[in-house]
Amino acid sequence: MRPLALLLALSTAAALPSSAEELPVRTAPIEVLKSHHLAVRVKINGKGPYRMIFDTGAPITIISPEVARETGVVPRDAQPPPMALFNALGQFSMQRFEVGGQRADKIPAIVMDHPAVAVLSRGQGELHGIVGFSFFARYRMTLDYQAKQLSFTPNGYVPDDFLELMMAYMAAKKKPPPRLLDPAGMWGFAVSKADDDEEPGVIVDRVRPDTPAASAGLKVGDRLLTLDGAWTDSAADCHHAAGGVKPGIAAPLKIRRGGKEMTLMVTPRMGL
């Protein structure tokens, strides 16, 4: 048994072997529900039939806990853990899974009460789960709405276990570094302005070492007049102007130092 993970839909292309045309074609009747979903009759481990949604957008196959117990996919006394979402028991393998005349072995399935299936069951008759990618990826399929029939031609492809792929992806994926909205976190300096200061610009009162501002030569005590062409007559002006510059793009800072005006080019980095 493996823990249930959050599921994301995937689209995977399966190559059709050159000998596939010689393989037998199996068929299965389909039912078009009022909701325009497709339903098929399936057998699990020789028991059934059970009525399930056939969903070509579903990355996994889902069966209800009740059906899983009846068919021996899980023990009859299997119960979901406390506070389990949708009575989820986890992922298990169906030893034999049949849709119409097509049989596949060892199909992984999530055992849970899917809320969408429950909603459809109330208005369109009892449904027991969803047939998804773990089954249909093994075939080239033809859907005939007029004849209300699915046809299956084996393509020789056995899809990877979707849940295992998701768990591996989540374990390997590195979280991006958090970002600060404070411009000082991207530029490396902070400013202030006294209430009685009536001169244009703001005073640089802190420059962090090893930051873009420090590398550009900005110093404590400099009076910042404009940032990327925008006037900075208050700390709020400075934050607003700094927030409009994308990380990695050099921006001009016009400053006054020792009575002389000069321009420094600062390239802000991604927030830490």
Side-chain angles (χ1 to χ4, degrees):
M1 172 178 173
R2 291 184 288 273
L4 185 66
L6 293 177
L7 305 175
L8 300 177
L10 292 180
S11 177
T12 303
L16 183 67
S18 58
S19 61
E21 298 296 341
E22 303 172 4
L23 296 173
V25 178
R26 308 292 186 184
T27 61
I30 59 172
E31 176 187 358
V32 181
L33 304 182
K34 294 179 181 178
S35 62
H36 296 167
H37 291 87
L38 302 181
V40 293
R41 302 279 176 168
V42 309
K43 288 187 177 182
I44 301 173
N45 295 342
K47 297 184 178 180
Y50 300 99
R51 188 165 171 253
M52 297 177 65
I53 297 294
F54 195 94
D55 185 357
T56 57
I60 45 85
T61 296
I62 298 173
I63 60 174
S64 70
E66 178 184 2
V67 167
R69 296 186 189 99
E70 288 179 0
T71 57
V73 175
V74 300
R76 285 194 171 272
D77 58 353
Q79 297 296 326
M83 306 299 291
L85 192 63
F86 307 126
N87 295 319
L89 295 177
Q91 179 171 286
F92 299 83
S93 178
M94 299 181 291
Q95 294 303 307
R96 191 171 67 195
F97 188 74
E98 300 170 75
V99 179
Q102 186 60 58
R103 168 181 166 176
D105 296 333
K106 297 181 179 179
I107 300 295
I110 300 295
V111 178
M112 64 178 291
D113 287 320
H114 195 288
V117 174
V119 171
L120 290 172
S121 293
R122 287 198 290 268
Q124 304 185 71
E126 189 173 15
L127 295 159
H128 302 96
I130 298 173
V131 181
F133 182 80
S134 55
F135 170 76
F136 64 72
R138 300 164 185 251
Y139 309 100
R140 184 179 65 179
M141 297 183 301
T142 301
L143 174 58
D144 188 333
Y145 279 98
Q146 184 176 21
K148 294 185 177 180
Q149 180 176 276
L150 272 170
S151 63
F152 303 92
T153 302
N155 59 18
Y157 175 67
V158 178
D160 293 325
D161 186 298
F162 178 79
L163 193 54
E164 285 187 353
L165 288 177
M166 285 301 306
M167 296 296 287
Y169 172 78
M170 294 171 66
K173 185 178 180 182
K174 295 181 179 179
K175 294 183 179 180
R179 298 179 58 185
L180 299 179
L181 295 179
D182 183 357
M186 299 171 64
W187 297 72
F189 72 96
V191 300
S192 62
K193 189 165 186 176
D195 292 339
D196 58 354
D197 184 351
E198 297 182 358
E199 293 186 38
V202 292
I203 299 298
V204 177
D205 59 16
R206 182 172 45 165
V207 178
R208 298 176 181 174
D210 301 320
T211 62
S215 298
L218 191 66
K219 297 180 179 180
V220 173
D222 288 344
R223 181 174 286 270
L224 177 61
L225 303 176
T226 65
L227 191 155
D228 197 30
W231 292 102
T232 55
D233 286 331
S234 68
D237 289 343
C238 182
H239 281 235
H240 180 75
V245 180
K246 295 182 179 180
I249 304 299
L253 272 65
K254 183 182 289 187
I255 65 170
R256 183 183 298 144
R257 179 187 297 167
K260 296 181 180 181
E261 291 188 5
M262 63 181 71
T263 299
L264 305 176
M265 299 300 296
V266 181
T267 303
R269 295 198 297 256
M270 188 73 71
L272 300 176

